Amino acid sequence: MKKILMLLSLTILAGCLRAENYDILGFRNDVFVMSEGYKITFYDDGPVLIKSEVIEENNYKFNEAQTIYKGYSVLNNKIYRSDVYAEDLVRPNKNGALSSLGLPRKFSAEEKFKIIGQVEIDGVVYRLVPDVLESFAFLIDNQGVFYNKAGEIKGSYLVLLDSEFFPYPKDLRMVDVNIRKAEQTKPTEGFDVKYDGIRLDRIWFTYFDYEAGEKGTFENISFPNKPGLITINGINMRVLRADNDKITYMLLK
């Protein structure tokens, strides 16, 4: 009987022992978190691709005299992809703070926060705004109004803190900010023809072909140094005058 009582006492004691807020029997923490916490639906990290489009650019100006200096493009046609990314952030509608028994959490209207996920409490969905303290978050509803308690993220659950928070001023809340940015790829198709001066009584151009991808291929092409009609990539160009520094020409349809 004494052995049974001693074994029972050790079991109860083991269940109560904690070291730096960690259960000796670790599974008890997991059970507590799951029973007292709220399941988090985490959002994707980083901007989201919302649109891609193929763009073609060229510098064609037909039937118009143009002067281009050595090293610059006389003809170019580039095809590339433009990717548009969107990111949903929030920011305070004004300077303020969330007051509590501890130190207040101050907010600046210039701060922007990435929503990390959401939880549902009593049928209401709250978005999670990360705090400066790692693993802690504030809660806002769909109108950006603060919930009166913050939470600690433990794995995939949010455990609410005991302390209550009160916004100051009272109308302090978060407002949505949608940020969009476009990223342009390097040209994947097309060509670029740059003027390369006069050598050996010939007009020289450097032809860059994008068809081979980002590396591309270079080719030097030349024509007799005299006014007249030349054709590059099926485009007719009338050379009006040329010297080692610049060329004046007209593209013909």
Side-chain angles (χ1 to χ4, degrees):
M1 185 67 177
K2 289 183 178 179
K3 290 183 178 179
I4 295 175
L5 290 174
M6 184 177 296
L7 180 60
L8 181 60
S9 298
L10 288 174
T11 302
I12 295 173
L13 180 60
C16 296
L17 283 177
R18 287 177 177 267
E20 296 184 357
N21 204 34
Y22 177 79
D23 285 303
I24 299 299
L25 298 181
F27 72 90
R28 295 184 68 252
N29 268 341
D30 296 336
V31 173
F32 171 79
V33 169
M34 293 178 65
S35 63
E36 298 296 325
Y38 297 89
K39 182 70 174 177
I40 301 173
T41 300
F42 288 102
Y43 293 167
D44 292 333
D45 189 25
V48 177
L49 178 65
I50 61 171
K51 183 174 66 172
S52 288
E53 58 182 344
V54 175
I55 297 176
E56 181 175 358
E57 286 184 353
N58 63 61
N59 67 341
Y60 302 163
K61 294 180 180 179
F62 291 101
N63 304 321
E64 178 182 328
Q66 302 177 73
T67 298
I68 296 296
Y69 285 85
K70 184 177 180 179
Y72 289 87
S73 296
V74 294
L75 283 174
N76 67 56
N77 184 289
K78 302 175 184 178
I79 297 175
Y80 58 88
R81 191 182 75 247
S82 177
D83 297 330
V84 180
Y85 293 87
E87 187 171 17
D88 293 324
L89 307 176
V90 293
R91 66 168 180 82
N93 62 335
K94 59 179 64 179
N95 296 333
L98 289 179
S99 301
S100 70
L101 294 178
L103 293 175
R105 169 59 164 98
K106 294 182 178 179
F107 289 98
S108 165
E110 303 302 317
E111 290 181 280
K112 293 183 178 65
F113 299 88
K114 171 71 176 177
I115 298 296
I116 58 177
Q118 67 181 46
V119 296
E120 184 176 328
I121 301 175
D122 297 330
V124 180
V125 174
Y126 293 93
R127 293 175 289 168
L128 304 181
V129 180
D131 188 20
V132 290
L133 296 176
E134 189 177 356
S135 298
F136 288 87
F138 295 99
L139 290 73
I140 59 172
D141 64 16
N142 287 334
Q143 284 71 48
V145 177
F146 286 97
Y147 189 64
N148 66 344
K149 288 188 177 182
E152 181 179 1
I153 298 172
K154 294 187 176 183
S156 58
Y157 286 85
L158 182 78
V159 178
L160 296 179
L161 305 179
D162 292 333
S163 300
E164 291 194 65
F165 290 85
F166 302 95
Y168 179 82
K170 288 185 177 181
D171 60 347
L172 175 69
R173 63 185 183 89
M174 291 287 182
V175 294
D176 293 328
V177 179
N178 183 266
I179 295 179
R180 293 194 177 196
K181 63 178 182 178
E183 293 184 1
Q184 179 178 310
T185 65
K186 293 182 179 180
T188 55
E189 296 181 48
F191 63 91
D192 191 3
V193 181
K194 297 182 185 296
Y195 182 56
D196 199 26
I198 303 292
R199 296 192 301 276
L200 302 176
D201 201 31
R202 294 182 69 85
I203 302 172
W204 287 85
F205 301 91
T206 299
Y207 183 98
F208 184 77
D209 186 359
Y210 293 111
E211 296 292 342
E214 291 187 1
K215 293 183 179 179
T217 56
F218 285 96
E219 180 184 358
N220 293 319
I221 56 177
S222 66
F223 302 88
N225 181 20
K226 61 181 181 180
L229 186 67
I230 63 177
T231 302
I232 301 178
N233 247 30
I235 299 174
N236 294 323
M237 175 191 301
R238 183 175 297 281
V239 176
L240 303 178
R241 55 185 173 273
D243 56 37
N244 196 49
D245 294 322
K246 60 185 180 294
I247 183 171
T248 300
Y249 64 98
M250 180 184 295
L251 300 182
L252 304 176
K253 276 191 175 181

